[in-house]
């Protein structure tokens, strides 16, 4: 399969070390690489200091999907719906906690792409 990468805008609800934006929105990269982890998805948040400040979390694709309908997760990553059009992803690391709000349709579009990505031919 091919890598699915999608850029989304999100609002940071916590974490003072993230870049300042006028409207509070930041660019987030959502990535699915079935060759690396067929069950996981990656969320990459920018931090201060440009590319060197990027922080990534990899977690279950099923957790993301479940969290769009009802609160899910108990460890470093939690996901829950927030009203009818927003979803929240809470990400914990030794550096702190980031609570990120997405448009649910952006996350659903990303998930749909991970399930419909064309398979790459397997060399024998």
């Amino acid at each position: 399969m091919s890598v699915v990468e999608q850029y989304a805008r999100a609002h940071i609800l916590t974490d003072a070390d993230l870049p300042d934006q006028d409207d509070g929105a930041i660019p987030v990269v959502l990535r699915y690489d079935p060759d690396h982890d067929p069950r996981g998805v990656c969320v990459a948040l920018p931090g201060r200091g440009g590319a060197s400040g990027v922080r990534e979390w990899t977690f279950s694709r099923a957790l993301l999907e479940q969290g769009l309908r009802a609160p899910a997760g108990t460890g470093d990553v939690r996901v829950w719906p927030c009203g009818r059009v927003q979803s929240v992803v809470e990400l914990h690391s030794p550096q702190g906690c980031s609570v990120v709000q997405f448009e649910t349709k952006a996350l659903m579009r990303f998930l749909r792409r991970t399930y419909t990505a064309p398979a790459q031919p397997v060399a024998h």
Side-chain angles (χ1 to χ4, degrees):
M1 292 188 88
S2 59
V3 174
V4 173
E5 191 168 271
Q6 178 176 313
Y7 294 86
R9 300 219 25 103
H11 292 273
I12 299 297
L13 304 177
T14 60
D15 208 342
D17 68 337
L18 290 170
D20 296 325
Q21 300 288 327
D22 292 337
D23 63 357
I26 61 162
V28 176
V29 178
L30 306 169
R31 187 171 43 257
Y32 171 68
D33 183 350
D35 293 331
H36 178 71
D37 183 357
R39 295 186 180 136
V41 293
C42 177
V43 174
L45 301 176
R48 294 207 187 275
S52 63
V54 171
R55 295 186 293 161
E56 293 187 354
W57 286 264
T58 300
F59 55 94
S60 163
R61 180 170 58 166
L63 170 64
L64 180 58
E65 189 171 3
Q66 292 166 2
L68 298 182
R69 293 186 301 274
T74 57
D76 291 341
V77 178
R78 297 180 181 124
V79 182
W80 64 89
C82 180
R84 294 174 43 182
V85 297
Q86 303 286 322
S87 293
V88 174
V89 179
E90 182 178 319
L91 305 159
H92 293 264
S93 73
Q95 293 76 34
C97 172
S98 296
V99 180
V100 186
Q101 187 176 45
F102 291 88
E103 286 189 20
T104 300
K105 66 181 177 181
L107 297 176
M108 291 174 66
R109 185 172 39 250
F110 170 69
L111 282 171
R112 189 170 31 253
R113 290 182 61 212
T114 70
Y115 287 112
T116 60
Q120 297 295 318
V122 177
H124 293 285

